[in-house]
């Protein structure tokens, strides 16, 4: 009997267990096409990487971008049919607990989005209760915003994760109070005349200069503890920011359409 062979699988299991957080769920449905359950507590967390110090923040938007927040007001945003009621001060705005999610008045198709955010300091709470917010693309697909600096949570709930579906490739978070940037390239879904999805939505996410997602597909709109399903729509939607009760701050938000090749100058 070859003992190495016998014990190798046990060693692999033990290694996986050491990487896993133990935070999360084991009674949720299977993620389609993956070996993991939704918010699986045994799914390994991504490796941590310290982002390059030279990555610049709060720089001016490209000339063809739509500026969604210029440091002054939330006139481009609303909450339901009401004006957005989050607090604006000192060139940033802050999630205001109980004021609800806010979303852009304008809808967008396929786009490049730049957004900067900063987790509350001193940090409060743990797992999903620390600096939680989120960026919902088309108002449906969440890229998670969470303070994961020395804070364990389930893998598919990490900052830059496609919540409930795909963890980020790395953890590139900065310390609470420091500014993070997300550069998000999003392509919405397409549907045929019968309403069947013919191209799933996909996203590339760069966090502080580090790739977290690369053209990764969404299984459907974001859910909690469930497996989502697509329902046909016109493939446009707002940018929605989540009120999860934590005073996460945002600044310098701009968006531009992806565009097509061979446009005239
Ligand atoms: Mg969230």
């Amino acid at each position: 009997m070859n003992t190495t062979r016998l014990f190798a699988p046990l060693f692999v299991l033990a290694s996986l267990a050491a990487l896993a957080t133990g935070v999360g769920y084991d009674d949720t449905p299977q993620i389609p096409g993956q070996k993991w359950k939704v918010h699986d507590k045994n799914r390994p967390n991504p490796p941590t990487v310290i982002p390059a110090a030279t990555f610049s923040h709060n720089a001016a938007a490209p000339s063809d971008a739509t500026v969604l927040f210029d440091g002054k007001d939330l006139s481009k945003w609303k909450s339901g049919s009401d004006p957005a009621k989050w607090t604006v001060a000192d060139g940033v705005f802050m999630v205001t607990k109980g004021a609800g999610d806010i979303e852009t008045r304008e809808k967008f198709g396929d786009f490049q989005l730049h957004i900067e955010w900063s987790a509350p300091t001193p940090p409060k709470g743990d797992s999903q209760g620390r600096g939680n917010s989120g960026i919902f693309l088309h108002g449906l697909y969440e890229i998670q915003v969470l303070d994961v600096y020395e804070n364990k949570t389930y893998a598919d709930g990490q900052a830059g994760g496609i919540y409930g579906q795909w963890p980020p490739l790395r953890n590139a978070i900065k310390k609470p109070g420091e500014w993070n940037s997300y550069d998000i390239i999003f392509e919405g879904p397409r549907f045929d005349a019968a309403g069947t999805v013919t191209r799933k939505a996909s996203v590339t996410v760069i966090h502080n200069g580090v790739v977290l997602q690369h053209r990764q597909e969404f299984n459907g709109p974001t859910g909690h503890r469930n497996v989502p399903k697509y329902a046909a729509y016109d493939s446009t939607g707002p940018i929605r920011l989540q009120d999860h009760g934590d005073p996460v701050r945002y600044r310098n938000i701009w968006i531009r359409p992806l565009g097509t090749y061979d446009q005239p100058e």
Side-chain angles (χ1 to χ4, degrees):
M1 172 71 65
N2 181 332
T3 50
T4 308
R5 234 186 219 177
L6 184 66
F7 289 109
L10 290 176
F11 177 74
V12 169
L13 278 177
S15 304
L16 279 176
L19 285 168
T21 60
V23 179
Y25 299 87
D26 58 11
D27 61 347
T28 45
Q30 204 74 25
I31 300 176
Q34 296 191 35
K35 62 184 277 195
W36 306 102
K37 293 178 175 178
V38 176
H39 320 309
D40 199 318
K41 69 179 187 183
N42 294 315
R43 191 170 195 170
N45 268 190
T48 296
V49 56
I50 298 167
T54 52
F55 199 77
S56 65
H57 290 311
N58 216 11
S63 62
D64 67 348
T66 298
V67 175
L68 295 174
F69 178 67
D70 62 1
K72 297 191 184 88
D73 62 59
L74 287 171
S75 56
K76 300 266 176 68
W77 300 78
K78 64 190 181 80
S79 183
S81 53
D82 298 326
K85 293 193 185 75
W86 291 8
T87 311
V88 181
D90 303 324
V92 309
F93 66 87
M94 190 169 75
V95 177
T96 304
K97 189 176 181 176
D101 294 359
I102 66 170
E103 66 181 38
T104 55
R105 295 178 184 278
E106 195 176 335
K107 291 181 173 182
F108 305 95
D110 299 348
F111 56 77
Q112 172 191 0
L113 172 70
H114 177 88
I115 187 163
E116 300 182 14
W117 60 274
S118 179
T121 181
K124 244 175 73 180
D126 58 17
S127 186
Q128 294 290 303
R130 182 181 297 188
N132 193 336
S133 181
I135 301 160
F136 284 75
L137 314 173
H138 281 188
L140 295 172
Y141 313 96
E142 184 181 18
I143 300 301
Q144 176 69 305
V145 167
L146 190 77
D147 177 9
V148 288
Y149 186 85
E150 297 177 351
N151 173 36
K152 292 294 183 195
T153 190
Y154 43 84
D156 66 28
Q158 287 273 334
I162 294 176
Y163 185 77
Q165 302 181 26
W166 289 103
L169 294 167
R170 294 289 184 275
N171 178 345
I173 195 80
K174 292 196 177 179
K175 287 180 184 171
E178 295 183 6
W179 284 94
N180 292 276
S181 66
Y182 279 169
D183 287 284
I184 295 173
I185 299 159
F186 177 73
E187 294 173 279
R190 297 292 184 271
F191 303 92
D192 64 17
T196 306
V197 66
T198 55
R199 184 186 88 177
K200 291 180 177 177
S202 66
V203 74
T204 294
V205 178
I206 300 173
H207 183 191
N208 298 327
V210 176
V211 175
L212 302 193
Q213 309 283 350
H214 179 55
R215 221 170 188 180
Q216 186 55 268
E217 288 183 339
F218 292 83
N219 292 320
T222 297
H224 178 57
R225 293 176 55 97
N226 66 15
V227 171
K229 282 198 174 63
Y230 281 100
Y233 65 104
D234 69 358
S235 300
T236 72
I239 305 300
R240 176 160 64 91
L241 302 179
Q242 184 183 42
D243 170 11
H244 205 279
D246 300 331
V248 174
R249 295 179 300 152
Y250 288 95
R251 73 178 184 190
N252 193 24
I253 307 174
W254 52 259
I255 192 167
R256 50 188 303 285
L258 282 191
T260 53
Y261 287 103
D262 305 322
Q263 294 295 301
E265 266 189 69

